[in-house]
Amino acid sequence: MLVVGDVVTDVVARHAEPLAADTDTAARIAVRPGGAGANVACWAARCGARVRLLGRVGADSADWHRAELRAAGVDPVLRIDQDLPTAVVIALVDAAAERTLVTDSGAAFQLGPADWAEELLDGSARVHLSGYLFFSPPGRELAAVVAKSARARGLPVSVDPASAGFLRQFGVPGFLDAVSGTDLLLPNEAEAALLSGQAEPAEAARELSARCGGAEVVVTLGAGGALAAVGGRVVARAPAVAAGAVDSTGAGDAFTGGLLAARLAGADLPTALATGCRAGAAAVTTVGGRPPKAG
């Protein structure tokens, strides 16, 4: 599988008390490798898939990110930006393990067609595009090039919309037009509601599947698990897996990685949903968006 998307340095600040204005708030702070695209790649590899990742990072931390991806079982193809630093996200995680993100997209938003090479698709059985690609002009151009190349080879393409905030800024019609022809769309509940205009998740999934030409639409629901629609109707649901949550950063990425790995292995949609839910549950028990290191 080829994943195209963002590689990020995450600064995760877990605070037990609400943030206090004009003073200090005690927190436990950790620096972790992250990024929606990179996280998906790492979780898919953890779930048994062979994964290559195309991303763009700054020279400031390229060696560290490459080493972390390799250690997670991912084949990293990182383009080095000599002018911009690697993207940074500050994740503020409250006592309920819910996170608020502050983002500096840095080099990630410069990933574009010049970084592409057709041979990146060699040996791949499917392609996954991080939604963050669609929020910058170079990224949108690259997504279109990759999707066209993948379809020419008969490879399915999936997209994770990634960010309700960025979707609002970009605009729903433009995003839906950009992902037209996608085989699998993977929004969370808030993103599905925004993209469909339907507040109820099942209705949102049905609406989006119909708008996307009958494509698979999988909506993640946090503690509510996940559901899938195909051809404008809901065809599968999976419950969440109980877990002691410490940090929800990357839980959706873990779900996506698990689901895609299962589909690559030939699993049907209900089984893939369940695999994704297990990966998402594992993700919330660790700090950061990547699988815990073995040992």
Side-chain angles (χ1 to χ4, degrees), residues 44-160:
R46 169 59 66 94
C47 293
R50 293 179 58 191
V51 187
R52 176 178 293 145
L53 170 72
L54 173 63
R56 189 172 184 87
V57 297
D60 58 315
S61 57
D63 291 344
W64 178 59
H65 279 292
R66 187 180 294 106
E68 290 288 331
L69 288 162
R70 285 176 175 161
V74 173
D75 174 18
V77 180
L78 300 183
R79 308 310 191 194
I80 311 303
D81 195 308
Q82 299 296 334
D83 299 316
L84 291 172
T86 300
V88 176
V89 169
I90 299 174
L92 304 172
V93 183
D94 64 18
E98 293 300 326
R99 84 282 189 274
T100 299
L101 306 179
V102 182
T103 303
D104 180 346
S105 298
F109 268 19
Q110 296 305 309
L111 185 65
D115 298 314
W116 178 243
E118 287 289 328
E119 58 266 26
L120 290 172
L121 288 172
D122 293 349
S124 294
R126 69 180 306 136
V127 174
H128 178 72
L129 304 176
S130 168
Y132 286 104
L133 286 171
F134 296 89
F135 305 137
S136 73
R140 286 193 293 278
E141 292 180 38
L142 174 61
V145 169
V146 177
K148 181 178 179 180
S149 295
R151 292 183 187 114
R153 297 191 183 207
L155 304 179
V157 178
S158 56
V159 175
D160 174 0

Side-chain angles (χ1 to χ4, degrees), residues 202-203 205-211 213-215 217 229-235:
E203 288 296 325
R206 281 193 284 266
E207 175 73 14
L208 281 174
S209 179
R211 286 191 193 180
V217 174
V230 180
R233 64 187 185 91
V234 174
V235 297

Side-chain angles (χ1 to χ4, degrees), residues 191-229:
E191 294 155 2
L194 178 62
L195 290 170
S196 68
Q198 302 288 338
E200 202 282 316
E203 288 296 325
R206 281 193 284 266
E207 175 73 14
L208 281 174
S209 179
R211 286 191 193 180
C212 294
E216 294 181 357
V217 174
V218 172
V219 180
T220 54
L221 307 171
L227 60 85

Side-chain angles (χ1 to χ4, degrees), residues 186-190 201-202 217-228 236-242 251-252 255-256 259 270 272-281:
L186 293 139
N188 63 23
E189 186 172 357
V217 174
V218 172
V219 180
T220 54
L221 307 171
L227 60 85
R237 297 177 184 265
V241 175
F255 174 92
T256 296
L259 181 143
L273 286 180
T275 302
C277 286
R278 287 195 297 272

Side-chain angles (χ1 to χ4, degrees), residues 249-271:
T249 303
D253 303 332
F255 174 92
T256 296
L259 181 143
L260 293 178
R263 293 295 264 169
L264 275 170
D268 60 17
L269 195 49
T271 302

